[in-house]
RNA sequence: GGACGGUUAGCUCAGUUGGUUAGAGCAGUUGAUUUACAUUCAACAGGUCGUAGGUUCGAGCCCUACACCGUCCACCA
């Protein structure tokens, strides 16, 4: 195939490799197979909300690169795949879906609705796994997990019950973030702040005993006044101190409320007097508790006002706002309206304005968990890259607030709590245990009802690193593969997920679940906008795979990955072209080498037999290998692939292959060309697994699973300074001659008659006539010419073919310019050295400066002087 | 309001402790073809490194201020 097709066909090859991988299962990890130990990566489980997008493609490519690399390095590499049920998100999607048929979750009923959800999960979960698969992900597919698998649910229950026993889970009536559309509680993280241009309404509250006098309160949410039970002022505010304890009449409602004094009031804001609505504002809630105020809930869970709203009963909260403002205006109680920009919280799933709402929910007490995580972090666990996120992470741990974990939805893990008729909760892993507890309490069997609510999605996700390995059951895998090595994820979920996984890991496994956290950027379109369905700028990874191939997708993605990644469809051409280049270079080598030479190993090579070109490419190869390995270890994949791209395309193809084109008869050349190419294929394999494995197999005349082949070993003895310099000089000169040709304006049509490269009498004469100029441009050594009678197909590369044997050393330098430059540099450095010298002999400085500074300065001075002596030699050699 | 990041060629980005002439890819221009590859090759052109100061023999890199863009956090009604 390689020899026949001059165009790489990704579709055909990728299908073939996938089939083979499915059959051979090379990605299956077994505990204790390798002496090197385990290397584990847990996939951030994609939500079953939808199918994979480009962000996932990036995230999973990063994971795959490292997993494949470590596997080749000899580790028992496990990459655990799976999906997340994504509670509210998925439920919302399915609700929208059934809404098309005029159905709601209530009309369908819990059981039927759950069936629809499971259908959706089955369909999307499969699609996601299939997409991951097509991307070339080397996941251990047999271990695929879902956050609502039966045994995973066991882990969730175990954790809930255990935390309850440890006093870290409690139930309470608090102001929480309430989404009136989803009709569920949200955690603080799920209620996102978004800027909003609202108004600040200034309302007059009249005194009961003197309706001529009033207090002005300012509010951004006038409708909540219906639930006011006090007006608060700062106790130190002279304007109001004499009024504290007086009674006001709440407008529109005509309820009597008192003026109270509380420190929470900011004297500078608004009028300095603030209405207190305990049931609809977290601040007011706290104030009310301090002052034993009444809590008046004015709203139904769906955002419509309830009978406590009196005349406004049944209105939507925003409609009520309008009407109330209108009513106040009519009564002359609205003093003024200021425009006021401030942030309001919105539901992270449906963007509905979140209502602070008083309700009974379950919470996790976070402080003890966060303190442990913080202590671990101070020990460097986990490390976070890029480093700047460390502070963000740490701040969150320090400023932790309790986590509201109950959700009034159906899709998720049912809260493992049962209530008796009096409402006493029994926390247990199953109903039997709960019944037993209830019996113990009441002395007889009593009817129990399970909590209708489910747990926050993240309450299951935070167990992912160990629940996927079978916890709470002890087994060899859990011990062997936990903790994991690296977590690749997006910065958005550092609090939602990363921090909480650390807490759960410490609490239940006694160890932080991963060593490194690598936070990568967001995939955006060419204009820098986030890719989203609603904007219509999303690129479907499957479409790219179909058109350009998965290798091209991966290659281009990584090549473009800086902080955020700006991607447009044409970016994938470079990946496709690269795969094709790889294919064709391999064809060239394939067609010019014998099977034996192709398979030759390092020990078949003897440096004495090798010409300078071979020694050079082997040397460059070693450098590339060292650098690429280092880049991968340091998570600098973009740099790694750049090194490979440059080495393979520029060095190997454009120079090396062109140089050896006439020399393929030499067995050593065949061996070197093959050896280096095979090494390149191995190094590229983590990045572009399909094409590399296909070519590698054809090279070896057998099916090779490249993923289980060993990573190339750095052989330092093949570093060859002499060859590097010699060929480096040759390349300089060749490039120089190309430049000269351009400068002299030698057109290709002229070359037919008088070219250097297809020599004729005329060409030879031209070359000789200009020998002095060329010589002048060459530093160190003499350029000699010998024009061979040889037709050269490609003039550009022909230059290299012709003169390479005759240039021992040197480079292209303008002699005069070079002299001046060197002289300047020497002068400058001598100046520095002298100034340091002076400083070092200054007694005051020596006394004051710490010893390491003095050592450093002295070393710097010596270094400069040494460098200068080298430079002087170089200058002398030019003259 | 707080914290952080970015600003380098038309575009997307490298530039690791300050050190020779700031680099790539794409796009552009000009050329090449009995070719492994036109998904190719070569050459050219394109930069006051956001602005203003400072430290230094020397600054894209260090310091200060400012501007613009972006991200995260945040119970001022």
């Amino acid at each position: 195939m390689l020899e026949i097709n001059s165009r790489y066909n990704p579709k055909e090859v990728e299908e073939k490799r996938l089939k083979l991988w499915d059959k051979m299962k090379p990605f299956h990890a077994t505990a204790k197979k390798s002496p090197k130990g385990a290397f584990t990566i847990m996939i951030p489980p994609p939500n079953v909300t939808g199918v994979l997008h480009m962000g996932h493609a990036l995230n999973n490519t990063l994971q795959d690169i490292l997993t494949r690399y470590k596997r080749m390095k000899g580790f028992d590499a496990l990459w655990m795949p799976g999906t997340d049920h994504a509670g509210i998100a998925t439920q919302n999607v399915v609700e929208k879906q059934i809404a098309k048929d005029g159905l709601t979750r209530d009309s369908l009923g819990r059981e039927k609705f759950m069936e629809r959800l499971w259908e959706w999960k089955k369909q999307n979960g499969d699609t996601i796994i299939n997409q991951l698969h097509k991307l070339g992900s080397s996941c251990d597919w047999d271990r695929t997990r879902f956050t609502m698998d039966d045994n995973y649910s066991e882990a969730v229950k175990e954790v809930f019950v255990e935390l309850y026993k440890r006093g870290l889970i409690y139930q309470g009536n608090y102001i929480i973030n309430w989404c009136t559309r989803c009709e569920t509680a949200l955690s603080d993280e799920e209620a996102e702040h978004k800027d909003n241009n609202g108004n600040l309404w200034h309302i007059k509250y009249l005194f009961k005993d003197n309706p001529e006098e009033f207090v002005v309160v300012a509010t951004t949410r006038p409708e909540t006044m219906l639930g006011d039970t006090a007006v608060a002022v700062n106790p130190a505010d002279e304007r109001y101190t004499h009024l504290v304890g007086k009674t006001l009449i709440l407008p529109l409602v005509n309820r009597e409320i008192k003026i109270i004094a509380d420190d929470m009031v900011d004297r500078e804001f608004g009028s300095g007097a603030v209405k207190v609505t305990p049931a609809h504002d977290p601040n007011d809630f706290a104030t009310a508790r301090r002052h034993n105020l009444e809590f008046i809930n004015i709203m139904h869970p769906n955002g419509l006002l309830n009978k406590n709203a009196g005349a406004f009963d049944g209105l939507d909260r925003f409609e009520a706002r309008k009407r109330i403002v209108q009513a106040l205006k009519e009564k002359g109680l609205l003093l003024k309206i200021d425009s006021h920009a401030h942030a309001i919280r919105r539901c992270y799933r449906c963007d509905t304005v979140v209502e602070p709402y008083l309700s009974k929910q379950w919470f996790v007490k976070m402080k003890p968990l966060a303190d442990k995580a913080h202590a671990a972090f101070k020990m460097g666990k986990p490390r976070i890259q890029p480093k700047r996120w460390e502070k963000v992470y740490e701040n969150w741990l320090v400023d932790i607030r309790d986590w509201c974990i109950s959700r009034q939805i159906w899709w998720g893990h049912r809260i493992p709590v049962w209530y008796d008729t009096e409402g006493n909760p029994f926390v247990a892993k199953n109903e039997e245990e709960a019944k037993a507890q209830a019996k113990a309490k009441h002395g007889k069997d009593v009817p129990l009802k399970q909590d209708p609510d489910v747990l926050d999605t993240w309450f299951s996700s935070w167990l992912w690193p160990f629940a996927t390995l079978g916890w709470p059951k002890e087994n060899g895998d859990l011990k062997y593969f936990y903790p994991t090595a690296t977590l690749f994820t997006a910065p958005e979920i550092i609090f939602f997920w990363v921090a909480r996984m650390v807490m759960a890991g410490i609490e239940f496994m006694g160890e932080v679940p991963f060593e490194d956290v690598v936070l990568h950027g967001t995939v955006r379109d060419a204009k820098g906008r986030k890719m989203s369905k609603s904007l219509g700028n999303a690129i479907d990874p499957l479409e790219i795979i179909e058109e350009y191939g998965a290798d091209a997708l991966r290659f281009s993605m990584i090549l473009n990955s800086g902080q955020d990644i700006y991607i447009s469809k044409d970016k994938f051409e470079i990946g496709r072209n690269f795969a094709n280049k790889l294919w064709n270079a391999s064809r060239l080598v394939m067609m010019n080498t014998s099977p034996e030479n192709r398979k030759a190993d390092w020990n078949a090579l003897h440096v004495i037999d090798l010409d300078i070109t071979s020694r050079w490419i082997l040397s460059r190869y070693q450098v590339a290998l060292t650098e690429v390995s280092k880049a991968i270890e340091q998570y600098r994949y973009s740099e790694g692939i750049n090194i490979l791209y440059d080495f393979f395309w520029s060095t190997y193809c454009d120079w090396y292959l062109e140089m050896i084109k006439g020399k393929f008869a030499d067995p050593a050349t065949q061996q070197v060309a093959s050896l280096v190419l095979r090494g390149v294929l191995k190094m590229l394999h983590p990045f572009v697994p399909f094409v590399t494995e296909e070519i590698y197999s054809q090279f070896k005349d057998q099916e090779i699973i490249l993923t289980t082949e060993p990573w190339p070993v750095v052989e330092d003895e093949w570093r060859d300074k002499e060859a590097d310099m010699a060929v480096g000089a040759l390349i300089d000169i060749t490039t120089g001659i190309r430049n000269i040709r351009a400068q002299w304006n030698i057109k290709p049509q002229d070359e037919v008659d008088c070219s250097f490269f297809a020599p004729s009498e005329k060409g030879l004469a031209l070359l000789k006539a200009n020998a002095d100029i060329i010589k002048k441009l060459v530093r160190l050594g003499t350029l000699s010419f010998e024009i061979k009678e040889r037709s050269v197909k490609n003039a550009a590369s022909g230059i290299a073919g012709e003169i390479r044997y005759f240039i021992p050393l040197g480079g292209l330098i303008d002699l005069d310019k070079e002299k001046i430059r060197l002289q300047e540099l020497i002068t400058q450095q001598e100046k520095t050295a002298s100034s340091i010298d002076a400083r070092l002999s200054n007694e005051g400085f020596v006394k004051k400066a710490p010893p390491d500074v003095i050592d450093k300065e002295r070393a710097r001075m010596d270094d400069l002087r040494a460098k200068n002596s080298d430079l002087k030699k170089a200058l002398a050699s030019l003259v």
Side-chain angles (χ1 to χ4, degrees), chain A residues 738-765:
Chain A
R738 285 174 187 165
N739 287 340
I740 292 164
R741 191 183 58 168
Q743 275 171 30
W744 289 349
N745 203 16
I746 298 172
K747 297 266 185 240
Q749 55 268 34
D750 298 333
E751 283 179 355
V752 176
D753 295 328
C754 62
S755 153
F756 308 154
F757 320 111
S760 62
E761 287 300 313
K762 244 175 151 182
L764 193 63

Coordinates of all heavy atoms in Angstrom, one line a residue, chain A residues 738-765:
Chain A
R738 N 22.3 30.0 -2.8 CA 20.9 30.3 -3.3 C 20.6 31.8 -3.2 O 20.0 32.3 -4.1 CB 19.9 29.5 -2.4 CG 19.8 28.0 -2.7 CD 18.9 27.4 -1.8 NE 19.0 25.9 -1.9 CZ 18.5 25.0 -1.0 NH1 18.0 25.5 0.1 NH2 18.6 23.8 -1.3
N739 N 21.1 32.3 -2.1 CA 20.9 33.8 -1.9 C 21.6 34.6 -3.0 O 21.1 35.5 -3.6 CB 21.4 34.2 -0.6 CG 20.5 33.8 0.5 OD1 19.3 33.5 0.3 ND2 21.0 33.7 1.7
I740 N 22.9 34.1 -3.3 CA 23.6 34.8 -4.3 C 22.9 34.7 -5.7 O 22.8 35.7 -6.4 CB 25.0 34.1 -4.5 CG1 25.8 34.4 -3.2 CG2 25.8 34.6 -5.7 CD1 27.0 33.5 -3.1
R741 N 22.4 33.6 -5.9 CA 21.7 33.4 -7.2 C 20.5 34.4 -7.2 O 20.3 35.0 -8.3 CB 21.1 32.0 -7.3 CG 20.6 31.7 -8.6 CD 20.0 30.3 -8.6 NE 18.9 30.2 -7.7 CZ 18.1 29.2 -7.6 NH1 18.2 28.2 -8.5 NH2 17.1 29.1 -6.7
A742 N 19.9 34.5 -6.1 CA 18.8 35.5 -6.1 C 19.3 36.9 -6.3 O 18.7 37.7 -7.0 CB 18.0 35.4 -4.8
Q743 N 20.4 37.2 -5.6 CA 20.9 38.6 -5.7 C 21.4 38.9 -7.1 O 21.2 40.0 -7.6 CB 22.1 38.7 -4.7 CG 21.7 39.1 -3.3 CD 22.9 39.0 -2.4 OE1 24.0 39.2 -2.8 NE2 22.6 38.7 -1.1
W744 N 22.0 37.9 -7.7 CA 22.5 38.1 -9.1 C 21.4 38.1 -10.1 O 21.6 38.2 -11.3 CB 23.6 37.1 -9.4 CG 24.8 37.4 -8.7 CD1 25.2 38.5 -8.0 CD2 25.9 36.5 -8.6 NE1 26.4 38.3 -7.4 CE2 26.9 37.1 -7.8 CE3 26.2 35.2 -9.1 CZ2 28.1 36.5 -7.5 CZ3 27.4 34.6 -8.9 CH2 28.4 35.3 -8.1
N745 N 20.2 37.7 -9.6 CA 19.1 37.6 -10.4 C 19.2 36.6 -11.5 O 18.9 36.9 -12.7 CB 18.7 39.0 -11.0 CG 17.3 39.1 -11.4 OD1 16.5 38.3 -11.0 ND2 17.0 40.1 -12.2
I746 N 19.8 35.5 -11.2 CA 19.9 34.4 -12.1 C 18.6 33.7 -12.3 O 18.1 33.1 -11.3 CB 21.0 33.4 -11.7 CG1 22.4 34.1 -11.6 CG2 21.1 32.2 -12.7 CD1 23.4 33.3 -11.1
K747 N 18.0 33.9 -13.4 CA 16.6 33.3 -13.6 C 16.8 31.8 -13.9 O 17.8 31.4 -14.5 CB 15.9 34.0 -14.7 CG 15.7 35.5 -14.4 CD 14.3 35.6 -13.8 CE 14.0 37.1 -13.6 NZ 13.7 37.4 -12.2
P748 N 15.8 31.1 -13.6 CA 15.9 29.6 -13.9 C 16.1 29.4 -15.4 O 16.8 28.5 -15.8 CB 14.5 29.1 -13.5 CG 13.7 30.2 -13.0 CD 14.6 31.4 -12.9
Q749 N 15.5 30.2 -16.2 CA 15.7 30.0 -17.7 C 17.2 30.2 -18.1 O 17.7 29.6 -19.0 CB 14.8 30.8 -18.5 CG 14.8 32.3 -18.3 CD 13.8 32.7 -17.2 OE1 13.5 32.0 -16.3 NE2 13.2 33.9 -17.4
D750 N 17.9 31.1 -17.3 CA 19.3 31.3 -17.5 C 20.1 30.0 -17.2 O 21.1 29.7 -17.8 CB 19.9 32.4 -16.7 CG 19.2 33.7 -17.1 OD1 18.8 33.8 -18.2 OD2 19.1 34.6 -16.2
E751 N 19.6 29.4 -16.1 CA 20.3 28.2 -15.6 C 20.4 27.1 -16.7 O 21.3 26.3 -16.6 CB 19.7 27.7 -14.4 CG 20.0 28.6 -13.2 CD 19.4 28.1 -11.9 OE1 18.6 27.1 -12.0 OE2 19.7 28.7 -10.9
V752 N 19.5 27.1 -17.5 CA 19.5 26.1 -18.6 C 20.8 26.2 -19.3 O 21.4 25.2 -19.7 CB 18.3 26.2 -19.5 CG1 18.4 25.2 -20.6 CG2 17.0 26.1 -18.7
D753 N 21.2 27.4 -19.6 CA 22.4 27.6 -20.3 C 23.7 27.7 -19.4 O 24.7 27.2 -19.8 CB 22.3 28.9 -21.2 CG 21.2 28.7 -22.2 OD1 21.1 27.6 -22.7 OD2 20.6 29.7 -22.5
C754 N 23.6 28.4 -18.3 CA 24.8 28.7 -17.6 C 24.6 28.5 -16.1 O 25.1 29.2 -15.3 CB 25.2 30.2 -17.9 SG 23.9 31.3 -17.3
S755 N 23.9 27.4 -15.8 CA 23.7 27.1 -14.4 C 24.9 26.5 -13.7 O 25.8 25.9 -14.4 CB 22.5 26.2 -14.3 OG 22.6 25.4 -13.2
F756 N 25.0 26.7 -12.4 CA 26.0 26.0 -11.6 C 25.7 24.5 -11.6 O 26.5 23.7 -11.3 CB 26.0 26.4 -10.2 CG 26.1 27.9 -10.0 CD1 25.6 28.4 -8.8 CD2 26.7 28.7 -10.9 CE1 25.7 29.8 -8.6 CE2 26.8 30.1 -10.7 CZ 26.3 30.6 -9.5
F757 N 24.5 24.3 -11.8 CA 24.0 23.0 -11.3 C 23.8 22.0 -12.5 O 23.8 20.8 -12.3 CB 22.7 23.1 -10.6 CG 22.7 24.3 -9.7 CD1 22.0 25.4 -9.9 CD2 23.6 24.4 -8.6 CE1 22.1 26.6 -9.2 CE2 23.7 25.5 -7.8 CZ 23.0 26.6 -8.1
A758 N 23.6 22.5 -13.6 CA 23.6 21.6 -14.8 C 24.7 22.1 -15.6 O 24.5 22.9 -16.6 CB 22.3 21.7 -15.5
P759 N 25.9 21.8 -15.2 CA 27.1 22.6 -15.7 C 27.3 22.5 -17.2 O 27.0 21.6 -17.9 CB 28.3 21.9 -15.0 CG 27.6 21.2 -13.9 CD 26.3 20.8 -14.3
S760 N 27.7 23.7 -17.6 CA 28.1 23.8 -19.0 C 29.4 24.7 -19.0 O 29.8 25.1 -17.9 CB 27.0 24.5 -19.8 OG 26.9 25.8 -19.2
E761 N 30.0 24.9 -20.1 CA 31.2 25.7 -20.2 C 30.8 27.1 -19.6 O 31.6 27.6 -18.8 CB 31.6 25.9 -21.6 CG 32.3 24.7 -22.2 CD 33.5 24.3 -21.4 OE1 34.3 25.1 -21.1 OE2 33.6 23.1 -21.0
K762 N 29.7 27.6 -20.0 CA 29.3 28.9 -19.5 C 29.1 29.0 -18.0 O 29.6 29.9 -17.3 CB 28.0 29.3 -20.2 CG 28.1 30.5 -21.1 CD 26.8 30.6 -21.8 CE 26.5 32.0 -22.2 NZ 25.1 32.1 -22.8
G763 N 28.4 27.9 -17.5 CA 28.2 27.9 -16.1 C 29.4 27.8 -15.3 O 29.6 28.5 -14.3
L764 N 30.3 27.0 -15.7 CA 31.6 26.9 -15.1 C 32.4 28.2 -15.0 O 32.9 28.6 -14.0 CB 32.4 25.8 -15.8 CG 33.7 25.3 -15.1 CD1 33.3 24.6 -13.8 CD2 34.5 24.4 -16.0
A765 N 32.3 28.9 -16.1 CA 33.0 30.1 -16.2 C 32.4 31.1 -15.2 O 33.1 31.9 -14.5 CB 32.9 30.7 -17.6

